Amino acid sequence: MRSLYIDGAWRTSASGEGLDVLNPATEQVIDIVPAGAPEDVDAAVQAARAALPAWSALTPGQRVTHMAKALELYNARLDDVAAILTRDMGAPAGFARKVQAGLPALMFRTFVDLVEEVGDRYFEGERQGNSLILREPIGVVGAITPWNYPLHQIVLKVVPALLAGNTVVLKPSEVAPLSAYALTEVLHEAGLPAGVFNLVSGTGPVVGEAIAAHPGIDMVSFTGSTRAGTRVSQVAAETVKRVALELGGKSPNVVLPDADLAQAVKRGVADVMRNTGQSCNALTRMLVHRDSYEEAVRLAAESAAKYAPGDPEDEATRMGPLVSAAQLDRVRD
């Protein structure tokens, strides 16, 4: 079984229990991660709070140096990370390299470049009339991330939080946690100071709730279902911490009468099939003029037929498996 990453070191969970990680293409157990306990979250928060003064006191340029080293290490391992994502959540090999592993690299670079561009002066404060505007770290940030774009969502939360001088406690989805471990190894190898970044794997009702409720966490950022996001808001309200939510959605694709119907339908189907349909911004229903309905149905069926599921490790596969049996049941329902 793997370990938790707290205060710059790998350690066993207080629970002593593990969670099986399944390859969705084979349904075989490929790894075991700790089922973290509230005591683990508390240890991670204490480490993050202890590391906060020194990390936030660094100049943005000094933090960029740390993160740029991590990005260099990540890019060197990009193919390995893509392979992990293929096994962990079923992304086809090509899609895993280009999007599931490639997009986090792009966003990582974007954040590093942005802080380099604005420079230290952006964080030093500026006068507006008789007011002084200061940009300061929030403090300890709790990040709770989903399984559908697991590493992308982690990078979107963790990297800018660290660059801005915050420290972080991350809970990745227990459904697809392995890419979080890959990033943790990169941050550790890059020499990030102990306690600045911490990883506590586990379930939402246990680790997620402990993060949302912890008085030592100043902000919680959550991406996931509306039901779980509602619970995060309720629990976090007890300690009046900042909350950022990105919740599930179902997006309509409106095709107007003067559109090129064949192109619109083809692209609409391609969008919803991306990541095996497991995207919160997927165009999951197509609205067309009634006069175009029959033709749109025919075109959609033709396009959808080209997306036969296959082995995600096969380079020719365009659609892999759904991430879990639970998700399969949900989609069928």
Side-chain angles (χ1 to χ4, degrees):
M1 183 167 66
R2 290 181 181 252
S3 302
L4 306 177
Y5 184 76
I6 297 174
D7 201 18
W10 298 100
R11 64 170 69 178
T12 58
S13 170
S15 75
E17 299 178 357
L19 298 167
D20 289 343
V21 180
L22 302 182
N23 180 335
T26 65
E27 298 189 300
Q28 300 298 308
V29 176
I30 57 172
D31 214 326
I32 302 173
V33 299
E39 296 90 334
D40 299 317
V41 173
D42 189 57
V45 173
Q46 289 185 39
R49 293 220 72 83
L52 180 62
W55 181 250
S56 62
L58 295 179
T59 66
Q62 289 171 322
R63 292 194 292 268
V64 161
T65 298
H66 281 285
M67 300 306 289
K69 175 61 175 176
L71 175 59
E72 179 184 344
L73 293 168
Y74 176 85
N75 283 329
R77 303 179 187 182
L78 195 142
D79 286 344
D80 292 336
V81 174
I84 289 170
L85 285 155
T86 294
R87 296 192 302 271
D88 197 21
M89 55 84 58
F95 185 80
R97 278 194 306 274
K98 182 178 180 181
V99 177
Q100 290 287 6
L103 190 56
L106 173 62
M107 298 311 302
F108 203 137
R109 168 53 62 191
T110 299
F111 293 134
V112 168
D113 288 348
L114 178 62
V115 176
E116 283 188 320
E117 179 183 334
V118 299
D120 294 353
R121 288 177 300 172
Y122 179 81
F123 295 89
E124 292 172 353
E126 61 182 277
R127 289 284 179 182
Q128 292 285 350
N130 62 353
S131 299
L132 175 65
I133 299 173
L134 296 175
R135 298 176 177 89
E136 299 176 335
I138 293 171
V140 178
V141 175
I144 305 172
T145 55
W147 51 259
N148 60 336
Y149 290 90
L151 189 54
H152 178 238
Q153 287 291 328
I154 290 170
V155 166
L156 289 183
K157 297 182 190 301
V158 169
V159 174
L162 294 177
L163 284 168
N166 304 285
T167 55
V168 174
V169 177
L170 168 68
K171 188 206 90 69
S173 168
E174 67 273 22
V175 177
L178 300 185
S179 60
Y181 278 84
L183 181 64
T184 302
E185 291 166 0
V186 163
L187 294 174
H188 179 76
E189 187 175 336
L192 210 63
V196 169
F197 171 82
N198 306 272
L199 167 68
V200 182
S201 59
T203 65
V206 178
V207 175
E209 289 231 359
I211 287 174
H214 202 290
I217 288 182
D218 301 291
M219 176 178 179
V220 59
S221 177
F222 171 84
T223 299
S225 71
T226 301
R227 177 187 57 78
T230 300
R231 180 61 182 165
V232 166
S233 289
Q234 292 169 340
V235 174
E238 294 294 327
T239 50
V240 201
K241 57 171 55 73
R242 298 191 193 188
V243 177
L245 303 176
E246 181 188 9
L247 308 181
K250 288 293 179 183
S251 307
N253 180 14
V254 181
V255 181
L256 299 179
D258 61 346
D260 181 330
L261 188 65
Q263 281 295 315
V265 171
K266 178 182 178 181
R267 293 181 183 183
V269 170
D271 180 274
V272 80
M273 294 297 188
R274 186 185 308 114
N275 204 37
T276 317
Q278 301 171 129
S279 302
C280 61
N281 61 345
L283 302 177
T284 48
R285 59 192 187 279
M286 193 177 301
L287 307 181
V288 302
H289 191 274
R290 61 175 60 88
D291 293 344
S292 304
Y293 176 78
E294 296 296 339
E295 178 67 2
V297 169
R298 183 186 67 79
L299 291 167
E302 289 179 357
S303 292
K306 299 175 183 177
Y307 289 86
D311 180 356
E313 296 194 17
D314 186 338
E315 291 288 340
T317 296
R318 300 175 70 188
M319 175 178 282
L322 288 165
V323 74
S324 65
Q327 185 65 9
L328 176 62
D329 292 341
R330 181 182 179 191
V331 170
R332 282 176 168 168
D333 182 67

